[in-house]
Amino acid sequence: MFCWGEDCERGFRIRDGSTINSSPMVDGAHYLQLGYHIADLSAGSSVLAFVKTNGNSFIIRTNESADGRRVRGKQKFVKFKEKIQAVGCRDDTVTLLTETGKVLSVDAAHTYIPRPVEALCNIPVSQVACGSQHSVVLTKGGQVYTWGQDSRGQLGLGKRKRKLGADSPQHLGSLSGLPVRLTEHISAGGEQSFALSVSGAVFAWGGNACGQLGLGDTTDRHTPTSVHHLNMKKTIHISCGKDHTAILTKTGEVLTFGSGQYGQLGHNSFSDELRPRLVAELWGAKVTKVTCGRHHTLVITASKRVYSFGRGEQGQLGHGEETHPSVPLPVLLPQDFADDLKMRNIFAGGNCSYATCTSNEEVPEDLDAAIGSNATQQCLDDFIDKWTSECENPKAWKRIKQEIHKTFSSASCVNKSFLEQRNDKHFQTSPKYSGLKLSLARHAFKKLVKKENVLAEVETAVLQLLPTLDKKPVGVEGLRIFLLLNELLHVIQRHKRQQTSTKLAQAVAAAVLSLSDDSLTVIGDWWFSLSPSTMVKHVKVWKEALTVILSFEPVPRNSGVRNLLLVLQSMYNVNSRIAEPQRMPESDFCLLLDNNFLHEDLQLWLTRSQHTNWRPEPLVLCSFPIVMDLQSKINVFHMNAEYTKATEALSCILENYWDIFFGIPLFEDHYFELDLRRSSVLEDTFEQLAATQHSVYKLPLVVYFDENPTNDDVYKKDFFYEVFHEMVSAESGMFMFNDSGTLAWFPSEVTQDDQRYFQFGLLCGLALYNYCIIHLPFPLALFKKLLGVKPSLEDMIEFSPCVGESLQYILEEDEIEDLGMYFSIDWDGTEVDLDPEHPEKPVTRQNKEEFVDAYVNHAFNTSVQSVFGEFRRGFFLICDQDLVKLFRPKELQQVLVGKDFNDWDKLKENTVYESGYHVDHPTIQMFWEVFDELTEDQKKALLWFVTGFDRVPILGMEKLKMTVRVKQAEDLSFDQYYPESHTCYSWLDLPLYSTKEIMQTMLTEALSNNKKSYK
């Protein structure tokens, strides 16, 4: 057997009967003459176990010596009456599998005596696998059991209140119907677990902090989850490290994902991968086995060559040097033995690696002759080929450095490289076309960055070049370098993402922004002409540089960071010009901003708004909202709202200081109080708003109904629900409605006092300020106008499809004069001349766009100028205009109005039960049967009945849940009682009805009558 890594030899008994007590430092692997063959081997943090081909098993402990070093003991025989077939190791526990399918456990920290796992005594098992502190077994019947720690969901048993785990095997029922393979079909790593079906479907659960589940995110999974990215990949084997995973396919391909901190993914980078990614360096090698150690990976190919990659300080890579190679390299085998032995299997555990071998067979010479023919087609400049091939030669290095500096210190050299030679297309270079073939540059830079010394010299040369670049080159070809540097930055970031210095990115950004306006226009047009995929790459360059900087503590707030944001803003502006199908989603420009950073930015913004001479300014807030996702915007708005409520309350206290001093009693708390009658909620609201000082509006809102002194948030939700449903209705007379009656708009002739539209704005602002969803059936034009965005024909089509489509037809019609139309319209029951200075002005082909613009402008602007102005004044009296403008119109609409909820399966899934109810309770089963038979409107009525919302927050659908409890009845006459709800807590008190019919009647009547307990 060959072995390499930490203390890899120590403890094994060799052919002559002696035990190796030391592990000499040698380059690569070394050979152990054991005198027996090993069938299986596993290693944890403090224990190693192996099984001989004769069925005997042995354990070698790792102990800590007096001087603190980890030292392996001698191999100890595990005595058991049956032969052992397989072994798995946790950090300090060994799990054994006998050939008859019994599972044994050995607490290696205290004993070598195996004890049967009682829960599995009568269940034959075919495979065992272990993570750091948990075990997984597959029975011969295809069932999966797990036990051990469950801190990250690695047992797959679902979220449980206690995360201590399970001392005995628990049946993983969610996989019971899955045809799990009976060989090499389950795997476990540090805190993750996998199962593999006969058809190659992969299921994962447990810890996912580094993406080691391959699900595209870093969220732990507490139940088995399908790894869709591996569908149809023909997966036949899975191996797990501490926080990375390797997959082997039937065609011999290896895919890895998870932590790449030490290069253990083999992708020539040290970045994490959230999704499975092919190890390109093994392409064509026909891998037959893959196994993972703690932070390293081994593979063996059909040609019986062993490769390794990942962490190597303990020699576990067998490369003869303590490095962290991120690409597969062959293990150095002793030449005295390598030619005479055939590799049989490989094992990795902890910081050790092992390869079993035999000497009675020759290594078959079945290497694929086509390997050499699959090389990438040469399309790189001869210079880069020469640099990368000769840079290890000390004699050539001096010359190479000079050539690098000569090339990359000259803008002309760079700008003439990587041209589109096909059909001499680069001769068409213009302000609209760069003449570059960026794929050539990309391939060249990928080759270049593989040599660290070459890359370092290139970076140095470029940094020297950038300050010297012409701000307004005489020809546009002088600007090519900026596209090429974008490509270089992209490749560098992919090559060593976590180690990338942002210095080069900041220098390039500064150089771009120092260009003249005309040059910047050219750069923008070139960006505009990029393919969508290249545009994404270039945007990611600036995003990744910013992501690195924003991870610093404290976050630097200097010009270099601001320059990166400005370049990203410029690319966003260019993207906005691109037609919808090819345009990047606005979310692709967002950065992950944590709340601490947002809070700091908000504090700077508040200080600057209060002190005009304050120099520090927020980095992102109000300057670069494009990098904020909707959640970040909502968080900032809520932070400011809470700060404002607190400061306004404190201000009230300070204003009443002398009253306190002289003992004059004050109100216990400082609130904006509304004491309303449900029978006249709108009238009372308008009256009390008019009588309240404006400064009071920003205090915490408290609503009372019918002189009930209870202070409860449920009343606040009820208030906004009732007041907006009454106000925005045809009966209120405040608004006009479209033909279908589904959307409201401001009237052109006001029949109500303008004060009511001011109060309407106040109420909308209060709802946003107090995080309440409201009934606001207005077109997007309302939110556009609040944000200073001009309404368009699209808004008219939304509000009045008939009018909007007619206007669209006018724009598309050539023979417009035949329609006999004039600049005169009927809007809101009033004849309007759109061009009073030219009465009876006809609509012609030349002025039809003017007519359409005038029509839309009158409907959404001119006709409502007064009432909208009052609405706007009221709204921004409550909400800070700068922070509201963080939102896009659609976002602001979604935040205020919420979104429809119709995922009733999700509601069922999120429902919890108390007071004796449970999911299988007959009354609960009856309830869901009744629920399924409700109409869609009745289901929404139930949602309102229980939660106080008939719509849900735009980002809160996952949090929506209902708690069903037993409604108590003193005389046990449950059939006489309606269900009751407590909307503040989303509780539904459901009586123990005797029949489904009675439940259906009482529930539907309760929904119709809204018989709700306001508690």
Side-chain angles (χ1 to χ4, degrees):
M1 179 175 71
F2 291 101
C3 63
W4 57 99
E6 180 188 22
D7 245 2
C8 61
E9 292 184 331
R10 190 190 299 267
F12 283 97
R13 186 176 296 114
I14 58 177
R15 182 186 296 271
D16 62 10
S18 63
T19 299
I20 300 176
N21 295 316
S22 64
S23 289
M25 296 301 295
V26 298
D27 289 342
H30 29 105
Y31 181 65
L32 292 181
Q33 294 185 351
L34 297 178
Y36 51 84
H37 295 300
I38 289 179
D40 195 18
L41 183 149
S42 179
S45 175
S46 301
V47 63
L48 179 148
F50 65 90
V51 181
K52 293 182 181 181
T53 53
N54 65 3
N56 291 337
S57 61
F58 299 84
I59 292 176
I60 306 176
R61 294 178 186 167
T62 298
N63 303 306
E64 189 170 306
S65 64
D67 58 0
R69 293 183 300 108
R70 285 164 48 86
V71 179
R72 278 215 185 123
K74 297 180 180 180
Q75 70 179 51
K76 297 291 185 179
F77 176 58
V78 179
K79 186 177 180 180
F80 194 70
K81 59 184 178 181
E82 295 184 22
K83 292 183 178 181
I84 305 300
Q85 175 179 295
V87 62
C89 290
R90 299 188 192 180
D91 284 347
D92 51 15
T93 304
V94 178
T95 302
L96 303 170
L97 177 64
T98 72
E99 61 181 5
T100 63
K102 290 185 174 63
V103 179
L104 313 174
S105 180
V106 180
D107 182 0
H110 303 94
T111 183
Y112 294 101
I113 301 174
R115 299 188 180 280
V117 178
E118 294 183 3
L120 298 173
C121 282
N122 298 317
I123 305 175
V125 169
S126 65
Q127 188 189 348
V128 298
C130 294
S132 296
Q133 294 293 337
H134 76 289
S135 300
V136 185
V137 301
L138 176 67
T139 70
K140 293 184 178 180
Q143 301 301 300
V144 178
Y145 288 79
T146 61
W147 71 99
Q149 286 192 5
D150 196 28
S151 57
R152 305 290 296 277
Q154 57 264 48
L155 300 189
L157 302 174
K159 287 189 176 181
R160 299 182 294 173
K161 292 182 179 179
R162 298 182 67 192
K163 296 185 178 181
L164 299 180
D167 293 331
S168 63
Q170 305 294 308
H171 181 221
L172 196 51
S174 57
L175 289 179
S176 60
L178 181 72
V180 181
R181 292 169 58 99
L182 295 181
T183 57
E184 304 290 347
H185 52 283
I186 59 171
S187 182
E191 294 176 316
Q192 72 266 29
S193 307
F194 284 82
L196 174 64
S197 79
V198 295
S199 299
V202 177
F203 299 84
W205 63 97
N208 195 33
C210 299
Q212 59 264 46
L213 300 186
L215 300 171
D217 57 38
T218 56
T219 302
D220 293 351
R221 298 299 197 276
H222 293 262
T223 56
T225 304
S226 176
V227 184
H228 294 297
H229 305 290
L230 289 172
N231 288 350
M232 297 184 288
K233 297 292 186 183
K234 300 182 180 179
T235 303
I236 62 170
H237 182 68
I238 306 168
S239 185
C240 303
K242 179 180 181 297
D243 45 23
H244 78 288
T245 306
I247 296 294
L248 177 65
T249 72
K250 193 172 183 179
T251 55
E253 298 169 354
V254 176
L255 298 93
T256 56
F257 44 95
S259 173
Q261 180 180 3
Y262 302 101
Q264 62 264 51
L265 302 185
H267 299 315
N268 198 19
S269 76
F270 296 91
S271 61
D272 295 350
E273 294 288 344
L274 306 185
R275 298 178 176 85
R277 178 179 169 185
L278 182 70
V279 180
E281 295 290 336
L282 294 172
W283 181 265
K286 182 63 176 177
V287 174
T288 59
K289 179 71 181 291
V290 60
T291 182
C292 297
R294 185 175 180 83
H295 297 301
H296 73 290
T297 307
L298 300 181
V299 301
I300 186 170
T301 69
S303 61
K304 302 306 178 185
R305 299 191 68 184
V306 180
Y307 293 82
S308 61
F309 42 96
R311 192 170 189 175
E313 288 97 334
Q314 304 293 331
Q316 59 266 50
L317 298 185
H319 296 165
E321 52 187 16
E322 295 183 2
T323 59
H324 315 263
S326 57
V327 295
L329 295 176
V331 173
L332 300 179
L333 301 176
Q335 291 302 313
D336 293 342
F337 301 98
D339 296 336
D340 298 325
L341 298 173
K342 175 186 176 182
M343 296 296 175
R344 294 171 55 92
N345 207 346
I346 53 173
F347 304 97
N351 298 324
C352 297
S353 304
Y354 299 89
T356 60
C357 55
T358 57
S359 58
N360 59 347
E361 297 180 31
E362 295 182 355
V363 177
E365 298 181 1
D366 56 352
L367 293 177
D368 185 1
I371 290 177
S373 64
N374 290 331
T376 303
Q377 182 180 354
Q378 294 300 310
C379 60
L380 310 179
D381 278 3
D382 292 337
F383 266 141
I384 293 181
D385 277 335
K386 186 167 59 174
W387 297 340
T388 55
S389 64
E390 300 178 7
C391 64
E392 304 299 333
N393 184 347
K395 295 180 179 179
W397 178 237
K398 183 176 180 180
R399 171 182 55 80
I400 290 173
K401 286 176 61 175
Q402 293 173 344
E403 290 178 353
I404 291 173
H405 281 268
K406 181 179 179 181
T407 302
F408 282 94
S409 294
S410 167
S412 63
C413 284
V414 176
N415 287 324
K416 70 181 182 182
S417 303
F418 314 117
L419 303 183
E420 177 57 271
Q421 301 284 356
R422 184 180 48 184
N423 299 324
D424 290 333
K425 193 173 180 180
H426 65 91
F427 287 105
Q428 301 174 20
T429 298
S430 71
K432 302 294 183 182
Y433 172 64
S434 68
L436 291 170
K437 188 172 183 179
L438 293 176
S439 60
L440 288 176
R442 199 170 305 135
H443 285 300
F445 294 151
K446 283 180 180 178
K447 195 167 187 178
L448 181 150
V449 299
K450 291 180 180 179
K451 301 296 183 179
E452 296 292 337
N453 52 350
V454 174
L455 175 59
E457 294 301 325
V458 170
E459 289 187 24
T460 301
V462 172
L463 287 171
Q464 293 173 353
L465 168 66
L466 287 170
T468 68
L469 293 177
D470 194 344
K471 307 302 183 288
K472 187 178 181 179
V474 66
V476 295
E477 292 174 71
L479 297 172
R480 285 174 173 161
I481 188 171
F482 293 101
L483 292 188
L484 295 172
L485 290 177
N486 235 317
E487 288 290 341
L488 177 61
L489 285 168
H490 169 71
V491 174
I492 291 175
Q493 289 173 346
R494 285 182 64 83
H495 174 61
K496 50 173 189 174
R497 188 170 303 170
Q498 294 183 346
Q499 299 178 358
T500 300
S501 167
T502 59
K503 184 178 180 180
L504 182 58
Q506 291 184 67
V508 174
V512 170
L513 295 171
S514 68
L515 293 171
S516 67
D517 291 342
D518 289 343
S519 296
L520 285 173
T521 299
V522 173
I523 296 292
D525 289 339
W526 285 357
W527 283 337
F528 181 83
S529 67
L530 294 175
S531 69
S533 62
T534 303
M535 183 71 167
V536 169
K537 291 183 177 69
H538 287 203
V539 168
K540 282 185 176 179
V541 164
W542 312 109
K543 282 185 60 177
E544 292 202 15
L546 284 164
T547 298
V548 171
I549 292 175
L550 294 178
S551 68
F552 296 160
E553 290 187 6
V555 174
R557 298 171 180 272
N558 52 39
S559 60
V561 186
R562 193 167 297 276
N563 287 340
L564 292 171
L565 287 164
L566 286 168
V567 173
L568 188 60
Q569 176 76 60
S570 297
M571 297 205 76
Y572 174 87
N573 295 341
V574 170
N575 184 64
S576 300
R577 295 160 43 195
I578 299 173
E580 187 67 39
Q582 287 77 37
R583 186 187 307 165
M584 286 178 61
E586 291 179 335
S587 59
D588 283 0
F589 289 83
C590 295
L591 300 172
L592 186 62
L593 306 173
D594 67 35
N595 282 340
N596 290 333
F597 169 78
L598 293 173
H599 187 262
E600 291 173 7
D601 239 27
L602 178 62
Q603 286 182 316
L604 287 173
W605 177 79
L606 289 168
T607 305
R608 189 175 177 83
S609 63
Q610 296 164 4
H611 305 282
T612 55
N613 294 327
W614 183 261
R615 293 190 63 185
E617 57 182 310
L619 186 59
V620 169
L621 199 60
C622 301
S623 301
F624 301 100
I626 63 159
V627 302
M628 299 177 68
D629 61 16
L630 181 55
Q631 184 65 69
S632 296
K633 296 173 184 179
I634 292 173
N635 289 348
V636 166
F637 191 89
H638 287 177
M639 286 178 194
N640 183 65
E642 292 305 311
Y643 170 81
T644 304
K645 291 173 187 177
T647 54
E648 291 295 333
L650 179 61
S651 177
C652 287
I653 294 173
L654 295 177
E655 287 177 3
N656 291 287
Y657 172 78
W658 290 110
D659 290 341
I660 299 173
F661 183 81
F662 287 110
I664 300 175
L666 296 174
F667 293 110
E668 183 177 351
D669 295 300
H670 295 278
Y671 297 111
F672 170 28
E673 299 179 326
L674 293 174
D675 196 346
L676 310 170
R677 296 167 295 172
R678 289 190 183 274
S679 59
S680 55
V681 63
L682 184 60
E683 179 183 348
D684 288 358
T685 298
F686 282 151
E687 181 180 327
Q688 293 183 34
L689 286 177
T692 302
Q693 293 183 358
H694 291 181
S695 60
V696 176
Y697 293 145
K698 293 189 178 183
L699 290 170
L701 175 64
V702 176
V703 178
Y704 304 106
F705 278 113
D706 299 325
E707 300 183 352
N708 184 340
T710 303
N711 178 356
D712 202 317
D713 277 349
V714 67
Y715 295 140
K716 189 161 47 178
K717 291 194 291 186
D718 290 346
F719 162 66
F720 283 111
Y721 180 87
E722 295 186 15
V723 77
F724 274 92
H725 273 80
E726 184 174 343
M727 180 169 51
V728 189
S729 66
E731 291 74 16
S732 75
M734 288 181 61
F735 304 101
M736 64 175 285
F737 288 82
N738 61 2
D739 293 340
S740 63
T742 55
L743 290 176
W745 190 244
F746 299 97
S748 54
E749 293 186 2
V750 179
T751 57
Q752 302 280 354
D753 181 3
D754 276 2
Q755 180 73 7
R756 289 207 167 189
Y757 295 98
F758 168 73
Q759 292 170 335
F760 173 50
L762 279 177
L763 288 168
C764 289
L766 284 169
L768 183 62
Y769 186 69
N770 289 279
Y771 331 139
C772 286
I773 295 172
I774 56 176
H775 175 67
L776 195 63
F778 275 70
L780 189 62
L782 172 70
F783 306 94
K784 284 185 174 182
K785 286 174 66 63
L786 275 174
L787 297 173
V789 178
K790 183 179 178 181
S792 65
L793 178 57
E794 291 180 357
D795 299 299
M796 180 59 76
I797 293 174
E798 179 194 8
F799 179 72
S800 178
C802 182
V803 173
E805 290 169 7
S806 297
L807 294 176
Q808 184 70 48
Y809 173 77
I810 290 172
L811 292 177
E812 296 171 354
E813 179 60 37
D814 289 333
E815 303 299 328
I816 192 66
E817 288 83 355
D818 296 341
L819 299 178
M821 296 181 61
Y822 298 89
F823 272 64
S824 179
I825 65 170
D826 185 335
W827 181 257
D828 195 18
T830 304
E831 285 288 331
V832 179
D833 194 335
L834 296 178
D835 191 352
E837 296 183 2
H838 302 90
E840 299 186 359
K841 178 180 177 179
V843 178
T844 67
R845 183 187 305 173
Q846 289 73 31
N847 66 19
K848 62 182 180 180
E849 291 185 7
E850 177 190 350
F851 169 74
V852 171
D853 288 344
Y855 197 130
V856 172
N857 183 63
H858 175 80
F860 292 123
N861 297 319
T862 308
S863 67
V864 299
Q865 184 172 355
S866 173
V867 289
F868 182 81
E870 285 299 297
F871 165 79
R872 188 177 185 276
R873 183 170 70 89
F875 183 85
F876 286 121
L877 184 64
I878 305 296
C879 300
D880 190 281
Q881 188 168 346
D882 286 338
L883 295 186
V884 171
K885 285 188 174 181
L886 292 175
F887 298 100
R888 301 182 180 95
K890 189 65 178 177
E891 292 175 334
L892 182 59
Q893 182 183 44
Q894 291 172 332
V895 171
L896 259 174
V897 180
K899 64 187 301 184
D900 280 329
F901 181 84
N902 51 20
D903 190 352
W904 306 115
D905 289 336
K906 174 62 72 173
L907 179 63
K908 289 182 184 180
E909 181 183 328
N910 289 352
T911 298
V912 296
Y913 307 96
E914 295 181 358
S915 306
Y917 277 150
H918 52 82
V919 68
D920 295 321
H921 193 285
T923 302
I924 295 301
Q925 292 183 338
M926 186 191 306
F927 169 75
W928 288 118
E929 290 177 11
V930 171
F931 178 86
D932 289 338
E933 294 172 7
L934 296 176
T935 66
E936 192 71 12
D937 287 341
Q938 287 175 323
K939 290 177 180 177
K940 290 184 178 180
L942 177 65
L943 183 67
W944 154 247
F945 181 72
V946 176
T947 68
F949 295 113
D950 57 356
R951 297 171 67 85
V952 296
I954 184 62
L955 297 178
M957 294 183 68
E958 293 298 322
K959 299 178 182 178
L960 183 68
K961 73 174 184 177
M962 172 174 67
T963 300
V964 183
R965 311 184 306 173
V966 177
K967 176 177 171 55
Q968 301 300 324
E970 294 182 2
D971 54 1
L972 300 181
S973 301
F974 295 103
D975 290 348
Q976 300 178 12
Y977 292 90
Y978 287 107
E980 291 185 353
S981 65
H982 307 259
T983 55
C984 189
Y985 307 103
S986 298
W987 288 346
L988 174 64
D989 288 349
L990 185 68
L992 291 162
Y993 293 116
S994 60
T995 68
K996 176 181 175 181
E997 290 71 22
I998 294 175
M999 177 185 287
Q1000 192 170 37
T1001 299
M1002 301 303 283
L1003 179 62
T1004 52
E1005 286 186 12
L1007 298 181
S1008 300
N1009 301 327
N1010 201 13
K1011 295 183 180 296
K1012 185 171 50 180
S1013 70
Y1014 295 94
K1015 298 182 181 180

